Amino acid sequence: MKWILFFGALIGLSICGREKFFGDQVFRINVRNGDEISKLSQLVNSDNLKLNVWKSPSTFGHPMDVLVPSVSLQLVKSFLKSQGLEYSVTIEDLQIYREMNSIAGDFPELASRVKIGHSFENRPMYVLKFSTAEGRRRRPAIWLNAGIHSREWISQATAIWTARKIVSDHGKDPAITSILEKMDIFLLPVANPDGYVYTQTQNRLWRKTRSHNPGSPCVGADPNRNWNASFAGEGASDDPCSEVYHGHHANSEVEVKSVVDFIQEHGNFKCFIDLHSYSQLLMYPYGYTVKKAPDADELDKVARCAAKALASLSGTTYQVGPTCTTVYPASGSSVDWAYDNGIKYAFTFELRDTGHYGFLLPANQIIPTAEETWLGLKTIMEHVRDNLY
Amino acid sequence: MPPRGQPPPASGPGGPRPAVLLLAPLLLLALQGVAAAPAGAGGTEDSPGLQDAELQRGLLQQAARAALHFFNFRAGSPSALRVLAAVLEGRATVNPKKECQVDLVFTTDHYNREDGEERLGKCSARVFFRNQKPRPAVNVTCTRLIEKNKRQQEDYLLYTHMKQLKTPLDVVSIPDSHGHIDPSLRPIWDLAFLGSSYVMWEKTTQFLHYYMAQISSVNQWKTNDDAVDFDYTVLLHEFSTQEIIPCRIHLVWYPGKPLKVKYHCQELQTPEEASGTEEGSAVAPTELNNF
């Protein structure tokens, strides 16, 4: 039938060249008759919506799968509603996982996608491993953590931009090339996949995991209060309804446990960096106490250097200091755990902005944020490279 | 905005535990801007001096925020909203009742700053925090950022744009999930921020501070009888607890007239707190702070 060919032609629509952006969804649209087909073709045909047909129905009664870019979501939803077309949203959060695969595919000698576990709702936890090492030697490694708090979208976005940056600049930028000569980098762009999906489909401001709390109507624990570093101490809550609920016990959240197990099994991490938003802060341990960390002086110096490098791009200023007094007391945090487990170079970034847009940072700030953050990250990684222990 | 100082420790079902308060007496601190500033008194092993400096700096930030929210509300001008640039100097005293008086000087920037344009204003304020109770008493004066006629013009321009918006407004959230605000809806955001400033001022304490995260719904938008009658729900983000607090706000605004605000926020239910019902209404100031 003619319309199969028509849709087939559209499948070739490329979404490359468009700014890679998150929140794209796949709509599964019920197609019951020819009338609905023609309504749909109207929709799919419109240039500015940039829809991408994934699966066209072979017969009536079978649905059509269409990739809808995030910017077109509202329009498409209104259209479908006004035309009485039934649909459901199928895959969410696919953009980041596909991009990770694409990076690993484009640079197989350098990057690989590794599954380290799964989330509460059984979504895979993928890291990208960047390594120039041959054989099975466990090089000293750097862990870049992002998206642990799902509403902090600039974190996941920065992470995936950084992944692309690492592979693109390797061999061209002496800094990243020399870093990868000595160390491996592991990047987890979505440390809280269930939360991330939830922010795209139900509640943009969701922070925690989506685990169930027996006996409570409230869902989820704060994955950055769930690590075994002064677990349930000051700066966390034992109320499941709280945004900083620490969870039932340390590592009760499977997302956290997956990372802990991986890092411990690896045994040779030297650096752990956690990306959050917002406030524009660069911090080091501790969050769970005001006591000065043994390496605080060195970490402070490194952080100040990194903040300076970051600011050099667009003038974005970051405050530097230990977590507890720079932002607030926080127990059970990833960075404190890393530090107390021998990973000396442990830092938290709170990315842009300082409250104007907060979590809802406009898309046009993603690349500037990622670019300046990259300078800060490189400063830290270079220091680690030159001070391996 | 740079970070705050001492927040309440873990808030469990028993409500926030009494926080460690500043016991430092009069401390005069000169601070430099928003960038990484030298952290005051030098540190020993456990750096008590360093901690004090950090705590002081946090308290000054809190005071500056409270003062600014109050200032913005009282100015009643959605085109002349200000944000905190930097605290220049300040001093805090704590009395035996654990109430806290902060005198400070800070700079402000235009909320809707266009690129390249930098208009720093300067404010001096006295803020009185009642031990963990909201509604800090604020006395604040600021230098003029925008010339009075220009400000009135811009307000009136905003007002005419608002009157042209087709009702009922076909919006869900502002901004959308990606931080985008349609330019035609920007006046709504600014007016909402003005109303929220009142709410955020009232709710700010030594330990709690707020940002406006999103307008989650516009319940009513009327512009007959000349004034803008705006009923909306806003999501406030409280920083130290990381909670999102929905507040229903109803405001009435006409350029040049004092803002009238009523609100009700959904507070977190804890066994010790009464179910959160708060109402505030703007008392029309007898003098407009024209400058």
Side-chain angles (χ1 to χ4, degrees), chain A residues 129 131-141 181-184 186 266 268:
Chain A
K129 175 183 177 183
S131 177
T132 59
E134 272 129 24
R136 295 173 155 280
R137 280 177 57 244
R138 281 260 153 101
R139 279 193 174 166
E181 230 161 72
K182 291 234 183 98
M183 306 182 293
D184 294 343
F186 290 82
H266 184 282
N268 205 16

Side-chain angles (χ1 to χ4, degrees), chain B residues 154-193:
Chain B
E154 294 193 3
D155 272 350
Y156 199 75
L157 201 62
L158 264 183
Y159 171 72
T160 46
H161 283 143
M162 291 177 196
K163 287 199 72 124
Q164 279 159 18
L165 288 169
K166 278 194 222 135
T167 54
L169 292 179
D170 190 18
V171 288
V172 184
S173 356
I174 304 172
D176 66 13
S177 283
H178 303 285
H180 177 71
I181 302 177
D182 194 280
S184 68
L185 301 178
R186 184 83 213 190
I188 298 184
W189 174 263
D190 291 341
L191 191 58
F193 186 81

Side-chain angles (χ1 to χ4, degrees), chain B residues 56 92 167 177 187 222 229 288:
Chain B
Q56 273 285 311
T167 54
S177 283
K222 280 201 305 205
D229 191 306
L288 262 182

Side-chain angles (χ1 to χ4, degrees), chain B residues 213-281:
Chain B
Q214 191 180 45
I215 300 171
S216 59
S217 66
V218 174
N219 310 309
Q220 180 173 269
W221 176 268
K222 280 201 305 205
T223 55
N224 34 351
D225 307 338
D226 284 347
V228 178
D229 191 306
F230 185 20
D231 183 329
Y232 60 104
T233 303
V234 86
L235 299 175
L236 298 183
H237 173 223
E238 199 293 306
F239 206 83
S240 65
T241 58
Q242 288 292 317
E243 296 295 335
I244 302 293
I245 306 195
C247 295
R248 177 102 184 238
I249 302 179
H250 186 189
L251 66 82
V252 175
W253 178 68
Y254 185 81
K257 297 229 175 95
L259 185 74
K260 299 201 186 99
V261 190
K262 279 200 167 107
Y263 71 92
H264 173 98
C265 294
Q266 260 177 60
E267 300 294 344
L268 271 191
Q269 297 270 313
T270 65
E272 280 176 21
E273 270 182 283
S275 62
T277 307
E278 282 175 48
E279 271 202 27
S281 52

Side-chain angles (χ1 to χ4, degrees), chain A residues 151 236-237 243 278 319 326 354, chain B residues 1 3 10 34 237 242-243:
Chain A
R151 61 191 179 197
S237 170
E243 292 282 31
Y278 53 94
Q319 296 275 4
T326 305
T354 53
Chain B
M1 269 170 258
V34 176
H237 173 223
Q242 288 292 317
E243 296 295 335

Side-chain angles (χ1 to χ4, degrees), chain A residues 308-322:
Chain A
K308 195 164 164 207
L310 189 155
S312 71
L313 196 66
S314 312
T316 309
T317 52
Y318 271 57
Q319 296 275 4
V320 170

Side-chain angles (χ1 to χ4, degrees), chain A residues 6 16 35 65 85 95 101 147 150 156 193 203 233 258 275 294 326 333-334 341 346 350 360 372 379:
Chain A
F6 172 70
C16 291
D35 185 44
D65 286 356
L85 286 163
Q95 181 86 13
N101 226 10
S150 37
Q156 299 95 331
N203 179 353
S258 303
L275 301 181
T326 305
S333 72
S334 62
N341 277 268
E350 291 278 356
L360 275 53
E372 68 193 10
T379 305

